[in-house]
Amino acid sequence: MILLLKPGRLPAQHWIDAFAAKMPELEVRLWPDVGDRAEVARFPNLKFVALIAAGADRLLADPDIPPHLPIVRSINPEMALTMKAWVVYQVVRHHREMARYEADQAAHRWNRLAVVPPREVRIGVMGLGVLGGAAARALLDFGFDVAGWSRRGGSIEGIEDFIGPDGLRPFLTRSDILVSILPFTKDTEGVLDADAFAALPKGAYVINCGRGELVVEEDLKAALDSGHLLGAALDVFRTEPLPDDHPFWEHPLITMTPHNASTGSAWHAVDVVIENIRRCQAGEPLIATVDRAAGY
Ligand code: NDP
């Protein structure tokens, strides 16, 4: 069995070392050495394509990936851990008014602000999958009033469930803090538009760490500029890296990170790939496959 590896953010050696330690018999070849990328469809024995980062949107849109070929998503416990820490940090930073305290410290001002009890803070998490579910549970542990919006409904105890297009508006109207951890699909593109922002309570805060394409960026800017939204924390953008002249860079109500909310090491990421290679060899069904029709 040969694995063709096209490394992403992590250096190739991390992947090579992890596969060598966990599946020494696997031959790993690096992508540029296997010929032209456009040739991919012509590998007659290709069994599946495994994502080594979360989010299947780019791969699903790649015309070089034959439609019959299974795509396996990345499952990496570190990604859920880092995502939930990033989300909790952004929520707490907003809820506990850390920007005010930073300004007060700079001005030598001792100014204790009243803290809204967490149970009175209504948080709406869009996407209750591997990452969104982990973040929603963590927020629940901090005592927030958490609801979730998903396509088919979740089963997370203690989290109020809103489902599909009909559930969107009632979900938004009760979200003081909106956390978006949705995949980018044909159904979620631009879901956070002017109508969605208008449905949020006045003074709501928006956090997006799913995909940039979920947000209509001009609509977000307008909702912030009008004073309807109090602020936004963004990790993902329609164009990445964010262009130098993009208005978000200098927007006083926007906090941003460079698509780094969730990260994971190769050591854990190889496990699902190895399990699927084993299944392939044993003629068993693959796990963690992407639903092409649903787009995630
Ligand atoms: P999952 O596939 O596990 O979960 C996706 C969730 O979104 C599910 O709850 C699903 O509903 C819901 N969903 C999908 N389509 C719709 C829709 N049309 N309407 C309502 N709900 C919908 O994904 P993960 O949790 O692993 O990851 C989510 C996304 O996070 C990734 O797709 C990627 O875009 C992004 N990401 C961002 C990173 C970062 O660093 N910023 C890093 C990694 C990923 P249901 O439960 O009903 O299926």
Side-chain angles (χ1 to χ4, degrees):
M1 182 73 82
I2 297 168
L3 180 110
L4 302 181
L5 176 68
K6 182 168 183 276
R9 271 198 252 188
L10 290 173
Q13 199 58 45
H14 290 214
W15 298 101
I16 293 167
D17 290 347
F19 279 116
K22 296 189 179 188
M23 198 178 201
E25 68 278 21
L26 187 70
E27 186 185 334
V28 179
R29 290 189 194 163
L30 280 187
W31 185 252
D33 296 336
V34 297
D36 188 342
R37 187 168 184 278
E39 303 262 321
V40 66
R42 292 184 214 146
F43 288 107
N45 291 321
L46 202 55
K47 300 285 188 251
F48 65 89
V49 178
L51 280 159
I52 53 177
D57 42 294
R58 285 200 195 100
L59 217 49
L60 286 172
D62 189 334
D64 287 341
I65 307 286
H68 68 273
L69 210 58
I71 297 178
V72 172
R73 55 167 297 163
S74 172
I75 303 278
N76 184 340
E78 290 165 341
M79 294 201 73
L81 287 175
T82 50
M83 181 61 97
K84 76 177 173 186
W86 187 92
V87 169
V88 167
Y89 168 78
Q90 298 298 348
V91 166
V92 172
R93 184 176 184 277
H94 169 64
H95 171 232
R96 299 301 296 270
E97 302 191 62
M98 294 315 294
R100 287 275 295 274
Y101 286 122
E102 281 158 19
D104 285 345
Q105 183 180 350
H108 298 211
R109 249 191 330 257
W110 185 269
N111 182 22
R112 295 173 77 181
L113 303 167
V115 178
V116 179
R119 67 173 186 285
E120 291 176 18
V121 180
R122 299 167 301 172
I123 302 183
V125 180
M126 305 181 90
L128 293 176
V130 176
L131 303 181
R137 283 188 198 91
L139 293 166
L140 203 59
D141 284 347
F142 280 95
F144 294 107
D145 177 359
V146 184
W149 184 66
S150 63
R151 200 165 59 95
R152 297 166 295 186
S155 52
I156 303 179
E157 207 187 319
I159 290 178
E160 194 183 350
D161 235 357
F162 292 85
I163 301 170
D166 292 347
L168 182 58
R169 201 181 155 78
F171 164 82
L172 292 171
T173 57
R174 54 83 65 214
S175 296
D176 301 314
I177 301 178
L178 183 71
V179 181
S180 151
I181 319 184
L182 286 168
F184 164 41
T185 70
K186 60 178 178 14
D187 297 324
T188 62
E189 205 272 327
V191 67
L192 295 178
D193 60 4
D195 287 347
F197 297 131
L200 291 171
K202 186 170 167 52
Y205 192 81
V206 170
I207 297 173
N208 182 28
C209 48
R211 280 287 181 265
E213 288 85 350
L214 304 172
V215 174
V216 179
E217 293 183 339
E218 312 82 70
D219 293 357
L220 174 60
K221 183 174 178 305
L224 290 166
D225 292 344
S226 72
H228 183 67
L229 297 180
L230 267 191
L234 309 173
D235 183 59
V236 286
F237 306 88
R238 283 194 176 243
T239 308
E240 295 178 3
L242 194 66
D244 191 46
D245 59 351
H246 197 287
F248 285 179
W249 282 113
E250 291 180 3
H251 201 289
L253 299 179
I254 291 179
T255 297
M256 63 165 88
T257 49
H259 200 147
N260 208 28
S262 163
T263 63
S265 65
W267 185 257
H268 290 290
V270 299
D271 289 344
V272 68
V273 184
I274 288 172
E275 172 60 14
N276 274 318
I277 292 173
R278 190 198 65 72
R279 284 170 171 261
C280 225
Q281 286 170 328
E284 295 169 18
L286 302 180
I287 53 165
T289 49
V290 169
D291 177 345
R292 281 175 179 271
Y296 65 99

